[in-house]
Amino acid sequence: MLRFLLIRFGRAALTVALVVTFAFIVLRLSGDPALIIMSVDAPPEAIAAFRKAWGLDDPIWLQYLHYFTAIGQGELGQSMRDGRPALQLVLERIPATLALTLPALAMKLGIGIPAGIYAALHRDSLIDRAVMVTAVAGFTVPSFVLGLVLVLVFSVQLGWLPSGGQESWRHAILPVLTLGIGGAAVLARFTRSAMLEVLGQPYIRTASAKGVPWARVVRGHALPNAAIPTVTIVGFMVGSLIAGAVVVESVFSWPGVGRLLVVAVANRDLAVVQCILLLVAITMVSSNLIVDLLYGVMDPRLRSGAKAGAH
């Protein structure tokens, strides 16, 4: 079990390091922050002074070394736009993002899992076909298109809900629906597939042949085994809470981390972008790590397989 944990934690740490390294290199190659923040009309001396002040005139390997050293000391840099700590700017936006993503996650789980289970238990029925058609539609429509359609219907045509901002709880309804509908569709399809695979196993037929009530077979055998693969997609959804809000927050002018990322990328505010990407990477990797650990608890064969592989 100790080796199982060490392998998972080692992979998680390596993944975060690789993501941060990739983001660092891409940001440095995507444009000169001095020309965007200072403007191309600024005197060359001012641009040179700006680069020197922020260490942009150092070789990229030296900038990389300074960056990772600072991370090790808990320092994530300062915004080039206003000089405030990047971490402080990000932490100020997290509550707004969670105000959308947590209700959206609850919506995904509350609709997607029951719909997938019900569709699997009534395979090829009218309800099953209706659930799958709805799921495919919700899965294939991009979030920004869905958001614009919801705004057109409920804000422009009907006038029931505001189209953007954060003044009241009513402003959160459309963005939460936009985030939740697509995720619920994905979860419904995945849960249905997992349930159908389990229901086709020999032990399910054996339990039914022995006279075990069908409701008991579903509760005691089908649902626990179908839950194992379903945990994967749920873990991914939890890990992508912040990343998934980027487009939706931009569409609805919601002042969260996702909108901050869009503005920071446009302004080449390196420290803020790197801080957000680091937060997203840690969130997703931590979520996947938890999923791996849950797998080890739910399916002990994975632990024994890891041990056998070590021998």
Side-chain angles (χ1 to χ4, degrees), residues 173 208 253 276:
I173 294 178
S208 299
S253 300
I276 295 175

Side-chain angles (χ1 to χ4, degrees), residues 114-163:
I117 293 173
Y118 192 86
L121 295 176
H122 299 80
R123 184 177 184 180
D124 295 329
S125 67
L126 182 60
I127 295 179
D128 178 30
R129 293 191 181 95
V131 169
M132 286 301 97
V133 168
T134 304
V136 170
F139 173 71
T140 54
V141 176
S143 58
F144 72 92
V145 174
L146 178 59
L148 293 176
V149 170
L150 292 178
V151 168
L152 179 64
V153 174
F154 293 100
S155 297
V156 178
Q157 298 294 332
L158 299 177
W160 291 351
L161 296 169
S163 60

